[in-house]
Amino acid sequence: MPSRCVAAGCSNTSSESVSVYKFPKQETLLKQWTKQVQRMRANWVPTASSTLCSEHFEADCFEETPQLMKDMGMHIRYKKVLKPNAIPTIFKRSLVGTSETETPSTSTGNIRELRARC
């Protein structure tokens, strides 16, 4: 059974355009990933099989080598490789009563700082 992304409103599985990643074992990163998911799922706790998909990471959180090959016109099938300290920062939710989406802000203002770490 394929792993599904745990982010609220997302059920992506691995495909040619989407990669999925298990939560890191390193305690500091695990806490940061968990805190980001909890922005939309308040009491959520990760399990050993929890995953997030590539849609929740900024482009600069990935290693560039596969993109360079793609830019050169080579057809490649690959799993996007996350940089070691990558932290998910993209979480969208539907606005009540509309089909629009927003990326929620955080009261601590740490999203810019987290994005800069990639």
Side-chain angles (χ1 to χ4, degrees):
M1 184 157 103
S3 296
R4 293 204 178 274
C5 181
V6 299
C10 184
S11 59
N12 284 340
T13 59
S14 184
S15 69
E16 189 166 327
S17 61
V18 176
S19 298
V20 293
Y21 307 94
K22 287 191 174 198
F23 274 62
K25 293 181 181 178
Q26 198 268 339
E27 190 69 27
T28 303
L29 275 177
L30 175 63
K31 286 180 181 179
Q32 291 173 319
W33 281 39
T34 302
K35 184 176 180 178
Q36 290 300 97
V37 171
Q38 288 174 341
R39 289 170 50 209
M40 303 298 291
R41 297 180 67 186
N43 297 315
W44 182 83
V45 177
T47 66
S49 61
S50 295
T51 60
L52 278 175
C53 75
S54 53
E55 299 292 311
H56 303 288
F57 294 88
E58 298 286 335
D60 61 354
C61 287
F62 299 99
E63 298 293 344
E64 296 179 24
T65 304
Q67 185 61 45
L68 179 61
M69 292 172 66
K70 188 175 181 179
D71 290 345
M72 294 173 62
M74 299 174 164
H75 177 73
I76 52 174
R77 292 182 68 178
Y78 64 91
K79 178 177 179 173
K80 293 179 180 179
V81 178
L82 279 177
K83 291 181 180 177
N85 292 322
I87 298 171
T89 57
I90 302 172
F91 294 88
K92 297 184 180 205
R93 64 178 173 201
S94 295
L95 296 174
V96 177
T98 72
S99 60
E100 297 179 46
T101 60
E102 69 174 352
T103 302
S105 61
T106 145
S107 59
T108 62
N110 290 332
I111 295 300
R112 285 191 191 103
E113 180 181 316
L114 292 173
R115 286 181 176 159
R117 291 188 61 197
C118 290

